[in-house]
Amino acid sequence: MLDQKGIPFKRVDLLPVISKVVLKAQRFPGVTVPALKIDGERIQGSREIARTLDSIQPDPPLFPSDPKERSKVEEAEAWGDEFQHRVRQPIWWALKRDRSPLRSYSEGARLGIPIGLAVRTAAPIVALSARFNEATDDNVRADLAALPADLDRIDRWIEEGVLGGERLNAADLQIAPTLRLAMTMDDLRPFIENRPAGELAMRAVPDFPGRTPPVFPAEWLGGFRS
Ligand SMILES: N[C@@H](CCC(=O)N[C@@H](CS)C(=O)NCC(=O)O)C(=O)O
């Protein structure tokens, strides 16, 4: 969003779990990232950030000016905020089983400590994140069963012009990173990359670190084949 507005910024990446402590110490009201300090204000939550940026610098806008179009984008944006859980649970489930892909996800991260050290000490962070995010077998199985319909919904929004327009809007920027994260999983990428949703993800987030080899039981992925 900042790039699109042309607002220069400094990015800091925080390790999961540790992020809660750092955000509290930095006097943010909540414990989630993304979190932004701008013009002396602390703004948290991707939806809040989109609205704040549009009010600070209206051009180019993150929302359409037509009220009807705007409400459709807001609907997709709010849905996208929930949609992230669908992919976050599988990724933590996978990392809980095998932490070796973790290093690939840390490429280019600005953590303030060496990546190697972060990766070597990550076991409790992964375990806690999997627990906080309720990355259980049942939940992940349900996520994977629901994903095909989610992808259809995203493709429909693209067809209707709610997503994937000439200029990326707040909903594109909410949904595309989740799709991009899904595409780091070898189990999921083939079902996403060659459809409009996958093309949107690549356009919005061309570079996204990380790769997880196949990990899910074949029957959990059955929904993608039918
Ligand atoms: N799209 C959401 C993302 C917020 C969110 O759930 N952030 C997660 C990371 S994806 C978080 O910070 N969780 C706390 C933690 O992992 O310690 C928003 O900003 O409204």
Side-chain angles (χ1 to χ4, degrees):
M1 289 191 267
L2 289 161
D3 276 338
Q4 184 146 310
K5 296 266 184 202
I7 300 175
F9 61 95
K10 178 180 163 219
R11 183 183 114 197
V12 177
D13 297 316
L14 300 173
L15 287 170
V17 185
I18 311 285
S19 57
K20 294 183 207 279
V21 181
V22 176
L23 291 167
K24 277 286 151 205
Q26 293 280 330
R27 289 179 286 114
F28 278 94
V31 291
T32 58
V33 290
L36 174 73
K37 281 191 207 165
I38 187 165
D39 287 350
E41 274 193 77
R42 287 169 169 73
I43 317 293
Q44 218 166 357
S46 44
R47 286 193 272 168
E48 195 58 38
I49 289 171
R51 281 154 189 77
T52 303
L53 293 181
D54 256 6
S55 74
I56 291 175
Q57 186 178 307
D59 218 38
L62 289 163
F63 293 93
S65 51
D66 176 78
K68 260 208 189 112
E69 283 177 29
R70 181 179 176 118
S71 79
K72 284 186 190 162
V73 169
E74 288 188 319
E75 186 198 333
E77 183 200 26
W79 179 87
D81 213 350
E82 304 294 320
F83 171 60
Q84 64 172 349
H85 218 49
R86 197 81 92 206
V87 177
R88 193 160 50 182
Q89 287 181 322
I91 196 86
W92 283 121
W93 186 95
L95 289 171
K96 197 171 68 174
R97 253 139 215 86
D98 177 11
R99 289 197 306 281
S100 53
L102 210 50
R103 176 173 272 276
S104 69
Y105 286 89
S106 312
E107 239 168 62
R110 295 160 204 184
L111 293 170
I113 55 166
I115 304 287
L117 176 67
V119 169
R120 279 198 303 280
T121 54
I125 287 178
V126 171
L128 278 171
S129 294
R131 181 152 4 123
F132 287 147
N133 288 298
E134 300 178 318
T136 61
D137 287 7
D138 284 351
N139 286 344
V140 170
R141 196 180 184 138
D143 288 331
L144 297 174
L147 255 176
D150 291 339
L151 294 168
D152 287 343
R153 179 193 288 253
I154 293 167
D155 281 356
R156 262 198 318 275
W157 270 325
I158 294 170
E159 203 182 301
E160 292 165 10
V162 177
L163 299 177
E166 208 174 306
R167 188 174 48 227
L168 297 172
N169 62 38
D172 290 308
L173 295 170
Q174 178 78 252
I175 292 170
T178 298
L179 288 169
R180 209 55 189 80
L181 177 62
M183 290 166 76
T184 67
M185 290 184 254
D186 287 355
D187 278 326
L188 302 182
R189 191 183 322 104
F191 303 111
I192 306 175
E193 63 187 350
N194 294 320
R195 53 190 297 165
E199 286 159 20
L200 172 65
M202 289 305 290
R203 174 185 158 201
V205 197
D207 299 311
F208 194 105
R211 179 150 189 195
T212 295
V215 58
F216 302 115
E219 68 267 25
W220 291 14
L221 297 164
F224 287 101
R225 293 200 176 81
S226 59

